[in-house]
Amino acid sequence: MTANEQWQQNSTDPLGLRELESIEPDFDGWDEIEAALDAHHQNRRNWRRAGGALAIAASLVLVVSITLLRQQDVAPVDIPVTGSATLAENSTSVTDEDNVKALIGLSQTMEEQLMKLRQSTGSMPADTAIYVAEIEDLIAQVDVELSVTPDSVDLWGQRVNLMLDLAQVYQQQWEIDYGRMAAL
Amino acid sequence: MDTELDEMTLARAKRGDIHACEQIYRKFQRPAFTVAVRICKCRELARDVTQEAFITAFKRIRQYRGDAPFWGWLRRVVVNHAISALRKLPKHDAVEMEDYMASSKGDVERINHGMDLEQALVQLGDEDRMVVWLHDVEGYKHREIAHLVGKTESYSKTRLNRARAKLRKLISDDDEAALAGTINA
């Protein structure tokens, strides 16, 4: 060690604390870390899957919405009361049924995703919890209306959209939790 | 202490390779635990801090850009966890822990009269010990310490001077006690 280095060490460590020996851990501890990392990676995989499913669901909602809008655009056109009109009406009715089926399937998928999201999300701030409760109330209202008109494309569409909103709230909350944890 | 980490292991750990993470853990567990014990004083708490720090580090390892030594980055994670753990401790717990450490050495009387540097360090208050260790051993600047503890630079300087003076006194008491013991014998 040069005189300069010696001086520097004396000025920053005058008591010689650096000379103290390092401390041997009396535990292994790797198993706990491995388990925590496994859980973390599993969680991330689940989120990626949930994100993928959400993206698919969102795309489907978009496709269904566009289809419905196109039908609404077509509806005002005067259709002559002929055999071909009956055919057109029938084909519209079949499309509605398909749309309802697709939306019911989407609604079930969203239910499953929301269940997973609820389990993965920790506690949330009061205002977020109130927002979640409001969306859930709206879904309950739609369900009541659906019990009267179970074939309403519009109602099923509303239900799916509300569930997408709910999923978005849970996902944002999870991102906040994750960001907070990562900032530690 | 060898604190270098090869590129290959780091790259594997960044890809989530659990074996690479274990290699890193085995290599840095001891220095990380040492820093945690020096700051927290209590081995049990230091153990938890070390574990949590490694978990955080592995979860965030992609954020390590490699422009500074890996140990410097990891040490920062450990120090942050240790300070956070100390802050969560209620005051009375800290006192109890100090008592525990004193009695664990077996001779409270001896500790009151004199001790070596290791034991003197344990006798310092949490912030004094943290500041003197971070500055004198880990090479932190006053600015960095001030930022960590949420105080000013002058607070850090005052703490450092006070901690060093206290350590000197504790060590000189030890020498005097040893000298008195020799004369009496």
Side-chain angles (χ1 to χ4, degrees):
Chain A
M1 188 182 285
T2 65
N4 190 34
E5 283 169 345
Q6 182 71 49
W7 178 85
Q8 271 193 335
Q9 176 157 347
N10 286 343
S11 65
T12 55
D13 181 25
L15 295 158
L17 287 167
R18 284 181 200 168
E19 302 305 316
L20 289 178
E21 283 194 10
S22 62
I23 302 167
E24 180 73 46
D26 49 4
F27 59 95
D28 181 67
W30 171 247
D31 289 346
E32 288 102 313
I33 292 174
E34 190 177 15
L37 291 178
D38 273 348
H40 174 69
H41 290 145
Q42 185 60 44
N43 207 14
R44 286 186 69 155
R45 277 195 290 271
N46 288 344
W47 272 99
R48 271 201 289 269
R49 277 192 210 121
L54 275 178
I56 292 166
S59 311
L60 280 172
V61 168
L62 195 67
V63 168
V64 171
S65 306
I66 290 167
T67 312
L68 291 175
L69 279 173
R70 278 183 183 166
Q71 281 172 7
Q72 280 168 8
D73 289 345
V74 169
V77 176
D78 289 334
I79 301 165
V81 188
T82 59
S84 62
T86 316
L87 189 67
E89 273 171 21
N90 282 345
S91 66
T92 307
S93 151
V94 168
T95 313
D96 276 351
E97 210 173 283
D98 287 345
N99 284 339
V100 167
K101 272 185 192 166
L103 285 167
I104 290 172
L106 207 53
S107 182
Q108 284 167 349
T109 309
M110 288 301 300
E111 289 277 15
E112 285 166 15
Q113 292 303 328
L114 278 171
M115 204 161 68
K116 285 177 192 165
L117 286 169
R118 277 192 200 101
Q119 285 165 357
S120 313
T121 312
S123 58
M124 51 177 70
D127 52 349
T128 312
I130 290 168
Y131 185 46
V132 165
E134 278 173 2
I135 299 175
E136 281 173 345
D137 279 346
L138 288 171
I139 293 174
Q141 280 174 29
V142 172
D143 283 346
V144 170
E145 289 178 51
L146 274 172
S147 65
V148 182
T149 48
D151 297 324
S152 165
V153 177
D154 186 32
L155 286 174
W156 279 111
Q158 280 181 33
R159 191 175 202 277
V160 170
N161 279 325
L162 285 168
M163 283 196 292
L164 277 170
D165 286 347
L166 202 53
Q168 207 174 6
V169 174
Y170 279 120
Q171 189 156 7
Q172 275 168 0
Q173 186 56 39
W174 182 84
E175 279 166 6
I176 291 167
D177 289 346
Y178 186 77
R180 201 176 289 148
M181 189 184 69
L184 267 177
Chain B
M1 181 183 71
D2 173 25
T3 54
E4 293 295 314
L5 180 64
D6 67 280
E7 292 289 325
M8 195 68 87
T9 309
L10 179 63
R12 279 168 51 218
K14 281 186 174 182
R15 286 198 305 269
D17 181 334
I18 203 80
H19 299 296
C21 292
E22 185 176 2
Q23 261 179 275
I24 293 173
Y25 179 70
R26 302 272 172 228
K27 187 177 174 76
F28 292 101
Q29 185 200 15
R30 185 174 177 144
F33 182 64
T34 301
V35 173
V37 171
R38 295 304 183 202
I39 292 175
C40 298
K41 187 165 70 176
C42 169
R43 274 177 167 262
E44 284 297 306
L45 186 60
R47 178 200 158 116
D48 291 345
V49 163
T50 308
Q51 299 284 92
E52 284 168 19
F54 270 104
I55 291 169
T56 303
F58 289 136
K59 283 178 184 173
R60 294 170 57 191
I61 200 161
R62 286 184 192 178
Q63 292 174 19
Y64 170 63
R65 294 189 303 271
D67 46 5
F70 180 78
W71 167 239
W73 179 80
L74 178 61
R75 185 181 57 190
R76 205 163 277 272
V77 178
V78 176
V79 168
N80 284 344
H81 271 275
I83 291 172
S84 172
L86 272 186
R87 279 191 188 137
K88 283 179 196 157
L89 280 184
K91 271 289 172 201
H92 66 276
D93 276 8
V95 173
E96 279 170 10
M97 215 172 289
E98 206 162 316
D99 291 346
Y100 162 74
M101 291 302 288
S103 60
S104 71
K105 293 290 175 190
D107 190 352
V108 177
E109 195 65 24
R110 180 173 167 268
I111 288 171
N112 284 339
H113 287 289
M115 60 208 67
D116 61 19
L117 190 53
E118 182 97 38
Q119 291 164 313
L121 197 62
V122 170
Q123 287 298 294
L124 292 183
D126 285 343
E127 285 213 343
D128 283 348
R129 191 181 56 257
M130 185 202 306
V131 171
V132 77
W133 188 265
L134 290 179
H135 185 274
D136 287 2
V137 181
E138 306 297 342
Y140 277 59
K141 308 281 178 222
H142 285 295
R143 181 174 36 83
E144 294 171 302
I145 296 170
H147 180 70
L148 273 173
V149 296
K151 302 275 172 60
T152 60
E153 277 188 55
S154 43
Y155 174 87
S156 172
K157 286 175 189 170
T158 309
R159 279 282 175 188
L160 179 66
N161 287 333
R162 191 189 297 180
R164 282 176 176 171
K166 195 169 179 184
L167 280 175
R168 281 196 189 95
K169 185 174 185 314
L170 287 166
I171 296 162
S172 66
D173 283 351
D174 184 29
D175 291 344
E176 281 168 24
L179 185 63
T182 313
I183 292 166
N184 288 339

